Amino acid sequence: MALHQRDAAGGAKEETGELYGDGDGDGGGAEAGQPAHARGPVPKWSEQLTARGLVVSAAVGIMYSVIVMKLNLTTGLDPTLNVSAALISFVILRVWTHATARLGFAVRPLTRQENTVIQTCAVACYGISSAGGFGSYLLGLSKKTYEAAGTDIEGNVGWKEPGIGWMTGYLFAVSFVGILALVPLRKILVIDYKLTYPSGTATAVLINGFHAPQGDDVAKMQVKGFTKYFAISFFWSFFQWFYSGGDKCGFSQFPTLGLRARKQTFFFDFNLTYVGAGMICPHLINISLLLGSILSYGIMWPLISDLKGNWYPADLPESSMRSLQGYKVCFSILFVAVCVICNPSFLTFSYSQAFICIALILGDGMYNFAKIIVSTIWSIVNKSEKKNTKKEEDILSLDDLHRNEVFTRESLPNWIAFLGYFGLSLVAVITIPLMFPEIKWYYAIIAYILAPALGFSNAYGSGLTDINMAFNYGKVALLILAATAGKEHGVVAGMVGCGMVKSIASISADLMQDFKTGHLTLTSPRSMLIAQIVGTVMGCVIAPLAFFVFYNAFDIGNLNGPWKAPYALIYRNIAILGVEGFSALPMHCLQLCCGFFAFALVANLMRDFLPRKYGKWIPLPMAMGFPFLVGASFAIDMCVGTLIVYIWHKIDKSKAVHMVPAVASGFICGDGLWIFPASLLSLAKITPPMCMAFESTR
């Protein structure tokens, strides 16, 4: 699930002064408040693509690929990091230009367009780690996930062990189609419909602020803050490693709220990645995560565990899909699915946990899915009715005209987009059935015929709400394909087809967010499209390598350890649910799921229809669903982050607005970078010298 970031630079406003600043390093002599084009020519698209830009993109892409992979393989959390990536790109570029200048080399001026292109390339690179299914549908194909779902479960058939070769080939086959699916429609979405794309606009505000004269002092402050907290985070992770020489050792096991609370996962584990993520995510998301933790691990799971021997067999292990784990997965998916549409089944205490989780996800997902589809249709109809009506506010300013002219003059010819889409679809239709015989060629053809419509719907909805609903489309495809392919092939066919549909919908929406950033920073769409392709190529190579560093170094998929990769099991159980239907659910799980499904719908209706002063306090069911399966510790970490932001804004709001993204990025990147040496030490069988553990004296 993607959790959205706080608005960068204090808000994503589109007024000229805020988008462009009062000046620009590209030229001088313009009056304050004049648009960027009045202060110098826009670089040609070929000048926006630079060698140093590709190097910086690769560096940022690798760093964030590791960070995102860690998040996916621990909790499944997927915060939006676009603004953070733009900040890190600027920091590295600034250090680069200053260092080369001091060495006496000629330095090419750093422009907002180059910054935007680098950010686009880096996001495309680490986006493969996020959307490539390494913590969900691809890992769900593994033998370990197959066994965790229960080898005795009817319908749980087929597995394929992770491999660099087939994973890389699969990513190359499915990741490029979405790039070209909506290229001919980008002008309609960005210029004609004037969709806001909040994340893309916020990124543009940040980048334009970097390149305005009055933003120079702020940029220096952000660079200094990022460097400081990056170092603190890295060395803190290094220090923690010395005390983690065992399964339940180290600061990550510190019982900050007591041993009984620790047993129910209520503790602060000193993970600065999640503290940083909490600083980026809005307060309501973090509070919703904490409420979900209290409801699940504080109330429901202890109560259901007391019913062992009544609701499920007492002799089953807790990790069995026919015990508590089944309830966990079910509830997790249901919560997240009111935002995503469907989720898995677990057939034990563990199995029940799974389905209750699914119920929350399903309720939230279906509501938002229907809401966005209706909003999309309503908006398109309104625009069609008003297209011949000229209002005063529809008359474009010189600024808007220039942005639109830059955005349209260097586009990719439509015939190339159509031909490329057809060629890439043909490659996927041929190669994917060869890799996975369970997927019939006609499934792939249907997916790619529907792809432009799915991509447009998701991109339009993302522009209206800033919510990427690709997971919803993927889960719908997962259920339909699993049910259609039957018991022998349903699980594998469903998860592979899920990846095909989800990749198309996700990349289309992400690319439109980037195009919105480019539109507001006067960046050529041609250079951005090339950057997107280059970044995707990087990601298809880097993401499988990053995954296998984790896969070989840590116990991925162990539900009793820190590397739970919960969504691998969730996706597999969604497929089983598609094959078997409701007969796969544990005792009373369906009734509980219906209750939480209704709760998710009611919560969303209250948020939408109550007066804003009341509706804004209603918790988000999707966010509440995450802790149902993975525990409460990460929610506490994120609430620590949100508390830091809250106090900082109370003490010095003007400084906090600029420094929160820098400090949060430093926390995330420092802890993420430590993963490299930690993985190498683990692969070399070098263990920490000490074990700091905590036990009761009674």
Side-chain angles (χ1 to χ4, degrees):
M1 181 188 86
L3 303 180
H4 297 288
Q5 63 220 357
R6 300 177 195 280
D7 201 356
K13 300 179 183 178
E14 295 195 28
E15 285 83 358
T16 300
E18 293 193 45
L19 281 173
Y20 291 102
D22 295 330
D24 194 339
D26 296 333
E31 297 179 8
Q34 287 296 310
H37 64 78
R39 293 187 292 273
V42 176
K44 292 189 295 186
W45 72 269
S46 56
E47 296 175 354
Q48 298 171 18
L49 292 162
T50 61
R52 71 181 179 188
L54 293 178
V55 173
V56 172
S57 299
V60 175
I62 291 171
M63 180 186 300
Y64 275 77
S65 292
V66 173
I67 293 169
V68 168
M69 195 70 70
K70 177 188 175 183
L71 295 174
N72 283 337
L73 296 178
T74 50
T75 64
L77 184 70
D78 185 18
T80 302
L81 299 172
N82 293 34
V83 169
S84 178
L87 173 62
I88 303 305
S89 301
F90 178 76
V91 170
I92 296 176
L93 281 170
R94 191 180 181 91
V95 172
W96 181 310
T97 54
H98 284 191
T100 52
R102 290 187 177 184
L103 292 173
F105 295 100
V107 179
R108 184 174 185 170
L110 174 60
T111 65
R112 71 183 76 230
Q113 289 81 13
E114 184 180 7
N115 206 158
T116 302
V117 167
I118 292 171
Q119 186 262 349
T120 299
C121 186
V123 170
C125 179
Y126 76 73
I128 300 298
S129 293
S130 173
F134 295 97
S136 54
Y137 50 87
L138 291 187
L139 185 60
L141 294 170
S142 69
K143 185 177 181 181
K144 179 180 285 188
T145 309
Y146 160 75
E147 293 173 345
T151 56
D152 59 333
I153 302 298
E154 190 175 1
N156 182 25
V157 179
W159 54 272
K160 187 179 182 70
E161 274 297 279
I164 288 183
W166 73 260
M167 282 183 159
T168 303
Y170 177 79
L171 291 174
F172 271 105
V174 303
S175 298
F176 291 89
V177 180
I179 296 177
L180 298 177
L182 295 188
V183 167
L185 301 177
R186 62 182 178 77
K187 177 180 177 294
I188 295 174
L189 292 168
V190 175
I191 296 178
D192 296 343
Y193 286 169
K194 298 183 177 66
L195 298 178
T196 57
Y197 289 102
S199 290
T201 300
T203 305
V205 170
L206 186 69
I207 291 174
N208 283 320
F210 287 151
H211 297 275
Q214 78 277 14
D216 194 52
D217 291 338
V218 173
K220 289 180 180 178
M221 181 173 64
Q222 289 177 320
V223 170
K224 184 178 179 181
F226 169 79
T227 305
K228 175 182 177 181
Y229 288 97
F230 175 90
I232 290 173
S233 179
F234 180 85
F235 286 108
W236 171 244
S237 300
F238 177 49
F239 176 75
Q240 288 188 83
W241 178 81
F242 285 96
Y243 298 90
S244 58
D247 290 337
K248 295 184 178 181
C249 303
F251 284 91
S252 63
Q253 304 296 319
F254 195 95
T256 46
L257 301 176
L259 288 173
R260 291 187 64 184
R262 167 70 184 82
K263 186 177 180 181
Q264 297 298 331
T265 72
F266 284 91
F267 62 97
F268 176 63
D269 65 3
F270 299 92
N271 190 321
L272 294 185
T273 292
Y274 288 109
V275 174
M279 295 176 70
I280 291 175
C281 290
H283 296 308
L284 183 61
I285 285 179
N286 297 322
I287 298 301
S288 299
L289 289 169
L290 184 60
L291 289 175
S293 302
I294 295 171
L295 180 61
S296 57
Y297 278 85
I299 299 174
M300 289 188 59
W301 302 157
L303 290 176
I304 294 178
S305 63
D306 290 340
L307 297 172
K308 181 187 297 185
N310 185 5
W311 281 21
Y312 59 93
D315 57 347
L316 286 174
E318 188 172 314
S319 60
S320 169
M321 292 306 292
R322 296 185 180 277
S323 76
L324 179 61
Q325 187 67 17
Y327 293 94
K328 288 182 179 179
V329 173
C330 184
F331 276 109
S332 298
I333 299 173
L334 186 56
F335 264 122
V336 178
V338 182
C339 263
V340 224
I341 285 217
C342 255
N343 268 353
S345 60
F346 263 76
L347 294 180
T348 68
F349 180 50
S350 183
Y351 195 63
S352 305
Q353 289 172 298
F355 277 109
I356 295 172
C357 171
I358 295 171
L360 281 173
I361 296 172
L362 180 59
D364 193 42
M366 290 184 67
Y367 177 85
N368 282 287
F369 183 79
K371 174 184 170 182
I372 288 176
I373 292 297
V374 171
S375 298
T376 298
I377 295 172
W378 182 264
S379 179
I380 292 174
V381 170
N382 282 345
K383 289 181 182 296
S384 299
E385 291 176 350
K386 298 176 182 178
K387 65 181 179 180
N388 295 323
T389 307
K390 203 76 172 179
K391 296 182 179 180
E392 185 176 347
E393 58 266 28
D394 293 331
I395 300 175
L396 298 178
S397 66
L398 179 63
D399 228 7
D400 293 325
L401 289 171
H402 184 69
R403 284 202 297 264
N404 294 347
E405 189 268 335
V406 171
F407 191 70
T408 56
R409 74 183 177 196
E410 293 177 341
S411 60
L412 186 73
N414 287 343
W415 69 268
I416 294 181
F418 289 131
L419 188 61
Y421 182 83
F422 176 79
L424 292 171
S425 300
L426 184 62
V427 170
V429 168
I430 294 173
T431 57
I432 290 177
L434 292 177
M435 284 189 265
F436 302 95
E438 295 87 352
I439 280 281
K440 304 302 181 183
W441 60 269
Y442 44 85
Y443 292 159
I445 290 179
I446 294 173
Y448 289 127
I449 289 175
L450 296 176
L454 295 175
F456 178 83
S457 176
N458 192 39
Y460 194 102
S462 177
L464 291 173
T465 65
D466 208 29
I467 298 175
N468 190 332
M469 302 291 285
F471 284 97
N472 289 11
Y473 294 103
K475 288 185 173 68
V476 170
L478 174 56
L479 280 176
I480 293 174
L481 282 174
T484 303
K487 291 185 179 180
E488 291 300 317
H489 306 300
V491 171
V492 175
M495 286 192 286
V496 174
C498 168
M500 295 168 61
V501 172
K502 179 182 168 299
S503 294
I504 294 167
S506 178
I507 291 173
S508 296
D510 290 343
L511 184 59
M512 286 302 152
Q513 291 276 9
D514 289 336
F515 274 147
K516 182 66 175 183
T517 302
H519 178 244
L520 298 176
T521 57
L522 297 176
T523 305
S524 165
R526 184 177 298 179
S527 64
M528 295 188 69
L529 190 63
I530 294 173
Q532 180 83 16
I533 294 172
V534 172
T536 303
V537 172
M538 291 180 182
C540 290
V541 175
I542 292 169
L545 295 176
F547 170 77
F548 272 92
V549 169
F550 286 96
Y551 195 72
N552 292 325
F554 306 108
D555 187 14
I556 304 298
N558 180 1
L559 295 175
N560 296 316
W563 302 92
K564 295 179 176 66
Y567 277 85
L569 190 56
I570 285 178
Y571 271 69
R572 189 170 189 98
N573 280 284
I574 294 177
I576 295 173
L577 186 61
V579 171
E580 292 297 311
F582 292 116
S583 63
L585 296 174
M587 183 181 293
H588 301 302
C589 191
L590 180 59
Q591 294 91 324
L592 290 170
C593 286
C594 289
F596 277 94
F597 183 89
F599 164 77
L601 292 177
V602 171
N604 278 285
L605 287 169
M606 291 174 67
R607 285 184 55 80
D608 285 341
F609 292 101
L610 284 177
R612 176 163 174 73
K613 63 180 180 179
Y614 302 117
K616 67 180 182 180
W617 299 106
I618 304 299
L620 299 171
M622 178 188 282
M624 290 179 66
F626 270 86
F628 270 65
L629 188 59
V630 299
S633 61
F634 85 98
I636 293 175
D637 294 344
M638 294 186 67
C639 283
V640 169
T642 210
L643 182 62
I644 292 171
V645 173
Y646 179 79
I647 295 174
W648 200 346
H649 273 264
K650 288 294 182 182
I651 296 173
D652 188 351
K653 184 174 182 179
S654 60
K655 186 175 181 180
V657 165
H658 297 296
M659 289 302 296
V660 163
V663 173
S665 299
F667 280 154
I668 293 171
C669 293
D671 187 49
L673 187 63
W674 168 249
I675 290 295
F676 283 111
S679 300
L680 294 175
L681 290 169
S682 178
L683 292 172
K685 307 300 181 184
I686 299 174
T687 58
M690 292 176 280
C691 172
M692 182 174 70
F694 303 89
E695 296 182 0
S696 174
T697 57
R698 299 178 183 177

